[in-house]
C-alpha cells in the first residue's frame, strides 16, 4: 500500500509553505512572502552587498583593534607550562609549604639550597650567639660567673668564630661544616675544598681558591670577595649533567659496571671534552692548576666514578682523572672509590660493598667563569651566560646520538634541559599548523569546494578567539595562559566549524526560496536558534569548570566558555554577510571554475555548492510493507523520496553535501529506524558494561608524566626519584680531588698480572703489556698489517699550515718523513682494525683513494663509494666495516673537507670530524670497526688492569650518606600561616604573600620540648630514614651548646650527610630574636609513588606529629606547629585535581540538563539527550580502562570537558526534531498516527542537521589527530580523549538519539511560546529545592568536609 501526499496542493499566496531542499522541512511566513518589522531591517542589511561588506569590515577590524590594544597597552600574558599551574594555592598543604618557603627566602634570599650553601653556617651563627648570650645570662643569674671547662671551650669557640665590626664575612663550607667519618688518609691530606659538596653556583664560587689550612682561610675569603680573579674559568659556575643507564638483557643483568658499558661511558665523556670550544669554557680549578705536571691550561675532567676506573699515568705517577686510555681493575677501583662517602652520589641506592652493581651512573661536567675577556663573575653576567648557553647547546645533538643498545645516555643541566623543554613545546605547537592545514582542506571539501566560504568560516573562528582572549585578559583580568589553554586551540575548531556548517547547510536548504530577504531571515532564525542552544549549553558546561579550585582548570573553563560564546556571536553576525556576498558575486565564478575544471577533466559539469537547479517540490511518500498494518505493531517506516534527486554518486546540488545527505538518510537514518529496538537493547548492554568498566578504572599508581616515557626529559624526571636531590652537587667528588697522585711503583699501587685475575670480566683485556716502565708512556704501534681476515689501517699526519693538516691512510706501519705518526688524544685515531673481506655484519666496503695531481704531496680520501678518476683519484685499498653497533666494536667517524686540497681524516668523535662534506659524495659519516682482540694489536697502557686496592690497602667502605632521595619533611614552629590578603587570584605565579609569625614563640622556653620532639621523630624508623634527622642548622658547635641549656638536648640525632653537605634545618632571626625554627627529616616516602599511594604517608606523618604536639603543655606555643613537605603539596594537587575535575563533570552535567530542559521544554525530549550523554561518558571512560590508562590528574581534567563536547550533536538533532514539527503541515485527508509522525520528524531532523553535525565531528577529530603525536603527555592524552569523545558522541547521536526520538519523543509537540517559560520556572524551582535541601543537610551535619586538616 502506498500513499502519496503532494505538497504543491498546499501552496497559496496567503500562507506560503515552501519546502527546503531537504524533504519535508517547510517555512511559514507572512503574507506577501517578505520579512516584516525588525527582521525586515536585518534582511535588508544582509541582502545588500555593500551593507554586508560593512558588517564584514567591522567584524574583522573590531577584534584586530581590541587585540592591538591588549598587546600594546595591557600587561603581557604570562605563559605557565609547568605542573605548578595545577597547584591549589589556597589548600592547607600549599599554605603550609608556602609559608615556610617565604620564611626561608626572607632569611636566606632564596629557597634553593644552592644559594644557601654559600653561607654554610650563617644559619647557626646567630642562633649560637643568642644561645651563648642566654647561657651567660643564666650563669650570671645563678651567681656562677666562673667558667667551667666546657664554658671555657665555648667561649674559646665563640672568640675564634667571632667576626670583626662591619659586614660579616661568609664562611666557606669547608671551614664551617663537620668533618664526617669515613674519608681516607689521602683525602684528609687534600685541601678542604676537595671534600666540599652541595656548593654549585655561588657555593662553587666560594669554594674555589681555598688553601689547605685554617690560617689561610681568611685571606682566601677576602680574595674571593674581591671582584678580581687571578685566573679565568676558576669558578665552577655551570653544570652539564649526564646519567648513563644500563639497558639490554634481563632487568636483573643491567649493571653499568661491565667493561663494555664502562668503555661506552668513557668514550662519551672523552667525546665531550674533545669539542673545539671546550677549552674556552671548561672549569680550571685553582688547586689543580698548582699541580705543575698538569699545567695552567688543565681542564677539570668530568666529575665521575670513571676517574677511578680510567686513571692516567704521567711521570711515573697515577692520576685518578678518568683520562686514561684503558680500563683499570673494576673491583679494585670501585673499592677505592667506596672509601669516600661521595661515591654514593654517583650511583643508585642498590650499591653496597657486597653488591657492586648499579643500574645507572651519574656524571657532571663543570664549566668555569669568568670567561676570557671578562673581568669577574659580575662583569656582564648575562652576556657570559648567553655565550655559555650558545656553546653548551651544541652538545644536545651530539649527546642525543650517543646511546647504544647497552647504555642509554641522558643529558641535562639548566640550559640543556630548559632548551629541550622549549624545543619540545614549540615542536608540539607546530602540529597545530598541520592540524590547521588538514582542517582547511576538510572544510574546503565539506563546503563543496568553496574557497570563499572556507576562508570566512575559519576566519570567524580566529576572530572570535581574539575577542575571547581580550575579554579573558582585559575584562576578567586573568594574566596567565596555562597548558590547557594551549589545547583549547584544537578543541575550539571543532566547535566553531559546527556553527559554520549549520549556517551554510541551512542557507543551502533554503535555496528554493526566490525572495532573498525571506531566505536570509529563515537562515538567521533557524541556524541562529539552533547554534545558540548548543553554544549556550556547551559554554555553560565549560563554565562549570570555573568553580574548580585548580587555577589551570578554572582559567581553562573561563577561556573555553568565552571562546564558545564569542564564536557563536561572530558566526551569527558575519556568516550571513559572507553568504550574501558569496551568493551575489562569488557563486557564479566558483560554479564556472568548477564546470571548467570538470570539463577539462572529461567529466560532466556540476552545479555549485549551494545551487539548486529545480524548484519542484519533493513528495512525502509513505511505503507500507505487506503485513505490517497490524495496529499493535510499530508504525511503518517513512521514506522521504525526492523524485528529482539523483541517486548516489551522480551530480547534484551541493556536491559533497548532497551525497553525504543521501548517505546519512539511506545508510544511517532509515536502518536505525527499522532496527531501533535492537539498537536500544545494544545501547543498554553497552551502558551496563561501560559502567562496570568505569568502576574498575583505578587511581594512578605512579607520578604524573609530563613527557613521553621514552624521551630524555621524562627519563631524567623519573630518575630524580632514584638519585640525590637537585640541591646537592658534587663537583669536587671525583678521584682527581679525592685522591692524591700515587706512585706507580708504591706498595699500594700494584699493576701487571697481580690485577689481571681480580675481576672475571677483566680477561677481555688480555695479558698486561710487559714493556719496560720507561717506555709505557707511549703506545707502541704494531709492526704488521693483517692477521687472517683482519687488517690494520694506520693513520699519519702532515701539517701543511697553521690550520691545515693532511692525513694519510696506509696498511704499512712505517712512517716516512715528513709524515708523523698520530698519538691518541683530541679525537685522533693512530690506527684501527677492519676486515679485508665481508665478515658477518661487516659488509660495508670503504675505499681509500689517493691522488697525485697535487704538486707537493699526494692526497688521501676515504669514501663509501668508488674513487672518481675525473679528479685524479684512484683506489689504493679497501676494507669492510659495519654500519651498526656490533659486539666488541667501536664507532669511528670520517669526513673530508669540501675545499681544496680536500684533507680527509678519521677520528673517534664527531666534533673533530665535523668538517663538512666533500665533493665526492659519501665522504662523511660513521662506521663500526672490531675492537682489537690481541694484545699485540692493541697495546695496553700501564694503567690497564691497575688495581689500587691490591693487598687490601684501601680500607673499609664509607657509610652511605643520605642524599635527599626521600621526601624531605619539615616540622615548623613559630609560623602561624601565610597572609594573602593582597592576592586577587588563586594562581601560583606572582606574589606569594607574607608569613604570619607566632608572637608567643620563645625558643629558650621551649628548647627542652624542641629537643624531645626532634629525638622522638628522628627515632621513628617507619617515617624517618636512619641518619635522616636534621634538627639543627649547619654548624659544628650548636650540639655542644644546647646540652648546657637543657638536659633533654643531650644526644641529639646526628644527620648522616655528605662531607660539606648542609643541613635543611633552618632558623629565622629578626631583631636579635629567634622568631621561627624548622626541623628537617628525610622520610622513607619514595617520591616516585603516585599521589593516592603517598597520601597514606601524609596521614601517618600528620597523625604522628599531631600526637607529639598534643602531648605538650597547653600553654606551649609549639602546639601550633605543623609539618609540611613540598611532596605533600604535589600529591594534594593531583588528588584535588581528580576530585575537582569529577565535581566539574557532575556540575557540567547538571547545568547541561537544566539548559536543555529549558530549550526543549519537554521531558521526553530531554530523556534522549541525557541518556546519550550518559552513554558517551561511560563508554569514553571504559575505553580509557581498555587502553590501560589510570585515573590521574591529566585524565580527570580531560574528562571535565566531556559534557561540553558531547551535548552538541544530540541537541542539534533534537532541535531539528522540533523544527520539523514546527514547519511540517497537517495532511488533509490522511492523518498519520503518532509513531509515523515521530519517525517522519526524526528523518526530517537527520536530513536537516545530519550533514552539519557529521561535518563538525569529522573536523573535530581531524583537528585533534595531530595531538596524538605530541611529546607532551597532557597534550597527547587531551587530544586522544577529545577524539574518542567526539567519535563516540556522533555515533550515539546517529544511532541512540535517533532511535529514542523515533520511539519515545512526543509526536505532536511543537514547543509553544509558553512552554519555555514553564520549563524555566520548573528548573528554577528544582534548583531552589536542591539548594535548600543541601543547606539543611549541611546544617544538620550530614555534609562531609573536604579535608579534616587545617593550618
Amino acid at each position: 500500500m502506498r500513499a502519496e501526499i503532494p505538497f504543491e496542493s498546499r501552496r497559496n499566496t496567503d500562507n506560503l509553505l515552501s519546502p527546503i531542499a531537504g524533504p519535508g522541512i517547510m517555512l511559514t511566513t507572512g503574507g506577501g512572502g517578505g520579512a516584516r518589522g525588525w527582521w525586515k531591517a536585518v534582511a535588508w542589511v544582509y541582502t545588500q552587498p555593500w551593507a554586508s561588506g560593512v558588517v564584514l569590515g567591522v567584524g574583522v577590524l573590531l577584534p584586530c583593534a581590541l587585540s592591538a590594544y591588549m598587546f600594546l597597552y595591557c600587561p603581557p600574558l604570562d605563559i605557565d607550562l609547568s605542573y605548578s599551574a595545577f597547584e591549589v594555592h589556597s589548600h592547607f598543604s600549599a599554605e603550609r609549604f608556602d609559608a615556610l618557603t617565604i620564611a626561608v627566602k626572607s632569611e636566606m634570599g632564596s629557597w634553593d639550597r644552592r644559594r644557601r650553601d654559600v653561607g654554610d653556617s650563617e644559619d647557626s651563627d646567630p642562633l649560637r650567639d643568642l644561645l651563648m648570650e642566654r647561657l651567660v645570662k643564666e650563669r650570671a643569674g645563678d651567681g656562677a660567673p666562673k667558667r667551667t671547662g666546657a664554658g671555657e671551650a665555648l667561649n674559646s669557640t665563640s672568640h675564634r668564630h667571632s667576626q670583626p665590626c662591619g659586614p660579616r664575612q661568609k664562611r666557606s663550607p669547608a671551614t664551617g661544616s663537620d668533618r664526617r667519618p669515613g674519608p681516607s688518609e689521602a683525602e684528609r691530606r687534600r685541601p678542604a675544598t676537595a671534600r666540599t659538596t652541595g656548593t654549585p653556583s655561588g657555593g662553587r664560587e666560594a669554594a674555589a681558591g681555598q688553601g689547605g689550612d685554617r690560617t689561610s682561610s681568611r685571606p682566601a675569603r677576602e680574595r674571593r670577595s674581591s671582584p678580581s680573579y687571578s685566573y679565568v674559568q676558576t669558578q665552577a659556575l655551570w653544570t652539564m649533567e649526564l646519567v648513563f643507564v644500563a639497558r639490554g638483557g634481563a632487568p636483573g643483568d643491567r649493571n653499568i659496571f661491565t667493561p663494555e658499558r664502562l668503555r661506552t661511558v668513557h668514550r662519551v665523556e672523552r667525546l665531550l671534552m674533545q669539542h673545539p670550544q671546550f677549552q674556552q669554557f671548561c672549569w680550571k680549578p685553582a688547586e689543580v692548576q698548582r699541580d705543575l705536571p698538569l699545567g695552567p691550561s688543565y681542564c677539570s675532567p668530568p666529575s665521575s666514578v670513571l676517574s677511578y676506573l680510567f686513571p692516567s699515568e704521567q711521570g711515573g705517577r697515577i692520576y685518578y682523572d678518568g683520562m686514561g686510555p684503558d680500563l683499570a681493575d673494576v673491583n679494585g677501583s670501585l673499592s677505592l672509590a667506596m672509601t669516600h662517602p661521595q661515591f654514593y652520589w654517583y650511583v643508585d641506592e642498590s650499591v653496597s660493598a657486597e653488591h657492586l652493581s648499579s643500574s645507572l651512573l651519574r656524571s657532571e661536567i663543570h664549566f668555569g667563569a669568568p670567561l676570557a675577556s671578562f673581568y669577574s663573575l659580575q662583569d656582564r653576567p648575562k652576556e657570559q651566560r648567553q655565550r655559555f648557553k650558545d656553546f653548551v647547546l651544541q652538545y644536545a645533538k651530539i649527546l642525543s646520538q650517543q646511546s647504544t643498545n647497552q647504555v642509554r645516555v641522558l643529558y641535562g643541566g639548566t640550559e640543556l634541559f630548559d632548551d629541550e623543554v622549549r624545543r619540545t613545546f614549540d615542536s608540539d605547537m607546530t602540529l597545530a599548523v598541520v592540524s590547521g592545514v588538514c582542517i582547511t582542506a576538510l572544510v574546503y571539501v565539506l563546503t563543496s569546494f568553496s574557497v570563499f566560504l572556507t576562508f570566512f568560516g575559519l576566519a570567524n573562528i580566529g576572530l572570535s578567539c581574539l575577542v575571547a582572549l581580550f575579554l579573558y585578559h582585559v575584562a576578567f583580568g586573568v594574566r596567565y595562559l596555562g597548558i590547557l589553554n594551549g589545547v583549547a586551540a584544537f578543541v575550539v575548531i571543532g566547535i566553531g566549524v559546527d556553527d559554520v556548517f549549520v549556517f551554510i547547510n541551512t542557507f543551502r536548504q533554503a535555496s528554493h526560496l526566490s525572495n532573498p530577504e525571506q531566505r536570509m531571515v529563515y537562515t538567521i532564525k533557524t541556524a541562529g536558534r539552533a547554534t545558540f542552544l548548543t553554544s549556550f549549553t556547551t559554554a555553560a558546561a565549560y563554565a562549570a569548570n570555573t568553580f574548580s579550585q585548580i587555577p589551570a582548570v578554572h582559567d581553562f573553563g573561563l577561556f573555553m566558555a568565552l571562546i564558545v560564546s564569542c564564536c557563536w556571536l561572530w558566526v551569527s553576525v558575519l556568516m550571513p554577510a559572507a553568504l550574501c556576498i558569496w551568493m551575489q558575486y562569488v557563486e557564479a565564478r566558483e560554479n564556472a571554475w568548477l564546470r571548467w575544471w570538470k570539463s577539462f577533466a572529461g567529466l560532466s559539469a556540476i552545479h555549485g555548492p549551494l545551487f539548486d537547479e529545480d524548484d519542484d517540490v519533493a513528495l512525502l511518500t509513505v511505503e507500507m510493507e505487506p503485513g505490517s498494518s497490524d495496529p499493535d505493531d510499530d508504525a511503518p517506516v517513512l521514506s522521504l523520496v525526492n523524485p528529482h534527486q539523483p541517486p548516489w554518486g551522480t551530480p547534484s546540488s551541493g556536491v559533497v553535501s548532497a551525497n553525504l545527505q543521501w548517505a546519512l538518510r539511506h545508510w544511517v537514518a532509515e536502518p536505525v529506524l527499522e532496527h531501533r529496538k535492537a539498537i536500544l537493547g545494544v545501547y543498554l548492554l553497552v551502558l551496563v558494561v561501560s559502567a562496570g568498566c568505569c568502576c574498575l578504572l583505578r587511581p594512578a599508581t605512579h607520578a604524573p608524566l609530563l613527557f613521553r616515557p621514552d624521551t630524555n626529559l621524562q627519563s631524567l624526571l623519573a630518575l630524580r626519584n632514584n638519585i640525590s636531590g637537585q640541591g646537592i652537587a658534587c663537583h669536587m667528588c671525583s678521584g682527581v680531588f679525592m685522591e692524591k697522585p700515587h706512585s706507580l711503583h708504591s706498595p699500594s699501587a700494584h699493576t701487571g698480572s697481580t690485577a689481571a685475575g681480580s675481576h672475571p670480566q677483566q680477561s677481555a683485556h688480555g695479558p698486561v703489556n710487559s714493556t719496560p716502565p720507561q717506555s709505557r708512556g707511549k703506545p707502541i704501534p704494531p709492526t704488521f698489517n693483517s692477521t687472517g681476515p683482519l687488517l690494520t689501517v694506520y693513520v699519519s699526519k702532515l701539517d701543511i699550515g697553521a690550520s691545515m693538516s693532511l692525513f694519510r691512510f696506509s696498511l704499512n706501519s712505517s712512517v716516512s718523513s715528513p709524515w708523523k705518526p698520530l698519538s691518541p688524544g683530541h679525537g685522533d685515531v693512530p690506527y684501527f682494525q677492519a676486515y679485508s673481506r665481508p665478515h658477518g655484519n661487516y659488509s660495508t666496503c670503504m675505499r681509500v683513494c689517493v691522488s697525485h695531481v697535487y704538486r707537493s704531496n699526494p692526497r688521501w680520501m676515504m669514501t663509501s663509494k668508488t674513487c672518481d678518476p675525473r679528479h685524479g683519484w684512484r683506489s689504493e685499498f679497501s676494507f669492510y666495516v659495519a654500519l651498526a653497533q656490533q659486539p666488541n666494536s667501536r664507532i669511528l667517524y670520517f669526513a673530508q673537507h669540501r675545499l681544496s686540497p680536500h684533507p680527509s681524516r678519521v677520528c673517534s668523535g664527531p666534533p673533530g670530524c665535523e668538517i663538512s662534506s666533500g665533493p665526492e659524495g659519501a665522504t662523511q659519516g660513521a662506521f663500526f670497526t672490531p675492537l682489537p682482540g690481541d694484545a699485540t694489536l692493541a697495546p695496553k697502557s700501564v694503567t690497564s688492569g691497575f688495581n689500587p686496592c691490591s693487598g687490601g690497602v684501601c680500607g673499609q667502605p664509607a657509610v652511605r650518606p643520605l642524599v635527599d632521595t626521600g621526601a624531605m619533611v619539615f616540622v615548623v614552629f613559630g609560623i602561624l600561616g601565610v597572609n594573602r590578603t593582597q592576592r586577587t587570584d588563586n594562581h601560583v605565579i606572582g606574589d606569594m604573600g607574607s608569613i604570619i609569625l607566632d608572637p608567643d614563640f620563645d625558643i629558650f622556653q621551649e628548647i627542652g620540648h624542641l629537643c624531645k620532639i626532634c629525638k622522638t621523630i628522628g627515632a621513628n624508623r617507619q617515617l624517618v630514614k636512619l641518619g635522616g634527622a636534621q634538627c639543627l642548622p649547619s654548624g659544628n658547635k650548636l650540639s655542644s651548646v644546647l646540652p648546657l641549656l637543657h638536659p633533654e638536648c643531650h644526644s641529639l640525632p646526628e644527620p648522616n650527610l655528605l662531607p660539606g653537605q648542609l643541613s635543611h634545618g633552618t632558623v629565622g632571626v629578626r631583631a636579635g630574636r629567634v622568631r621561627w625554627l624548622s626541623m628537617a627529616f628525610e622520610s622513607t616516602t619514595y617520591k616516585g609513588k603516585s599521589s593516592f599511594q603517598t597520601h597514606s604517608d601524609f596521614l601517618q606523618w600528620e597523625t604522628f606529629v599531631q600526637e607529639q604536639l598534643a602531648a605538650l603543655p597547653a600553654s606551649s606555643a609549639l602546639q601550633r606547629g605543623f609539618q609540611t613537605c613540598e611532596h605533600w603539596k604535589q600529591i594534594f594537587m593531583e588528588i584535588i585535581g581528580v576530585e575537582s575535575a569529577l565535581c566539574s563533570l557532575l556540575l557540567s552535567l547538571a547545568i547541561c540538563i537544566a539548559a536543555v530542559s529549558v530549550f526543549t521544554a519537554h521531558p521526553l525530549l530531554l530523556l534522549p539527550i541525557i541518556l546519550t550523554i550518559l552513554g558517551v561518558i561511560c563508554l569514553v571512560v571504559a575505553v580509557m580502562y581498555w587502553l590501560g590508562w589510570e585515573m590521574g590528574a591529566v585524565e580527570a581534567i580531560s574528562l571535565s570537558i566531556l559534557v561540553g563536547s558531547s551535548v552538541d550533536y544530540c541537541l542539534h538533532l533534537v532541535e531539528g526534531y522540533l523544527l520539523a514539527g514546527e514547519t511540517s503541515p497537517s495532511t488533509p485527508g490522511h492523518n498519520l498516527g503518532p509513531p509515523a509522525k515521530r519517525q517522519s520528524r526524526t528523518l526530517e531532523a537527520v536530513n536537516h542537521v545530519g550533514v552539519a553535525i557529521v561535518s563538525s565531528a569529522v573536523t573535530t577529530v581531524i583537528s585533534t589527530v595531530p595531538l596524538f603525536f605530541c611529546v607532551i603527555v597532557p597534550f597527547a592524552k587531551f587530544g586522544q580523549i577529545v577524539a574518542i569523545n567526539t567519535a563516540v558522541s556522533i555515533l550515539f547521536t546517529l544511532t541512540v538519539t535517533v532511535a529514542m526520538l523515533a520511539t519515545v519523543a512526543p509526536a505532536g509537540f511543537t514547543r509553544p511560546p509558553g512552554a519555555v517559560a514553564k520549563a524555566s520556572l520548573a528548573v528554577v524551582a528544582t534548583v531552589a529545592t536542591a539548594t535548600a535541601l543541601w543547606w539543611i543537610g549541611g546544617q544538620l551535619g550530614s555534609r562531609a568536609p573536604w579535608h579534616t586538616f587545617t593550618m
Side-chain angles (χ1 to χ4, degrees), residues 592-649:
W593 181 86
L594 286 174
R595 284 193 296 269
W596 174 86
W597 173 254
K598 289 298 182 181
S599 62
F600 178 79
L603 302 175
S604 60
I606 64 171
H607 302 296
L610 306 180
F611 183 75
D612 193 358
E613 181 183 25
D614 200 340
D615 281 342
D616 290 343
V617 183
L619 299 180
L620 181 62
T621 302
V622 182
E623 295 184 359
M624 305 294 291
E625 298 294 338
S628 62
S629 57
D630 187 354
D632 296 332
D633 200 358
D634 289 337
V637 177
L638 299 182
S639 178
L640 303 179
V641 180
N642 186 350
H644 299 283
Q645 183 166 334
W648 168 266

Side-chain angles (χ1 to χ4, degrees), residues 1 55 58 79 224 255 343 407-408 422 538 590 701 717 719 927 931 978 1010 1145 1177 1226 1234 1325 1330:
M1 178 178 180
V55 173
V58 173
I79 308 297
R224 286 195 300 278
N255 178 21
F343 164 80
V407 178
R408 184 180 182 188
R422 284 190 293 269
T538 303
E590 288 184 346
T701 57
L717 293 175
L719 283 176
F927 54 81
L931 289 172
V978 59
L1010 289 172
L1145 178 66
I1177 294 175
S1226 60

Side-chain angles (χ1 to χ4, degrees), residues 200-265:
S201 300
R204 297 172 187 170
E205 299 161 20
Q210 279 186 321
D213 56 350
R214 293 182 179 269
T215 59
S216 61
S217 61
R218 184 178 298 278
R221 289 196 297 270
E222 292 173 356
R223 287 195 299 271
R224 286 195 300 278
S225 63
S226 172
S228 177
Y229 293 89
S230 301
Y231 302 98
V232 295
Q233 301 168 225
T234 55
Q235 314 298 312
L237 185 59
W238 302 295
T239 302
M240 180 167 62
E241 301 174 358
L242 301 174
V243 181
F244 302 94
V245 183
R247 65 180 182 181
D253 298 334
R254 294 172 184 172
N255 178 21
I256 197 67
F257 295 130
T258 61
E260 181 180 358
R261 293 189 174 104
L262 291 174
R263 291 191 185 97
T264 300
V265 176

Side-chain angles (χ1 to χ4, degrees), residues 864-937:
S864 59
K865 294 187 177 180
T866 59
C867 303
D868 188 357
R870 293 177 297 175
H871 296 84
W873 296 104
R874 65 175 180 82
S875 178
E876 188 168 63
F877 64 91
S878 62
F879 54 90
Y880 290 86
V881 296
L883 295 182
Q885 178 78 38
Q886 305 297 320
N888 299 320
S889 66
R890 64 169 175 169
I891 187 172
L892 297 178
Y893 301 85
F894 69 98
Q896 179 184 358
H897 206 288
R898 61 185 175 185
L899 301 177
S900 177
H902 311 299
S904 181
R905 71 172 297 191
V906 172
C907 57
S908 59
C913 282
E914 289 180 350
I915 53 177
S916 75
S917 180
E920 301 301 328
T923 54
Q924 183 179 19
F927 54 81
F928 291 86
T929 62
L931 289 172
D934 195 303
T936 58
L937 294 178

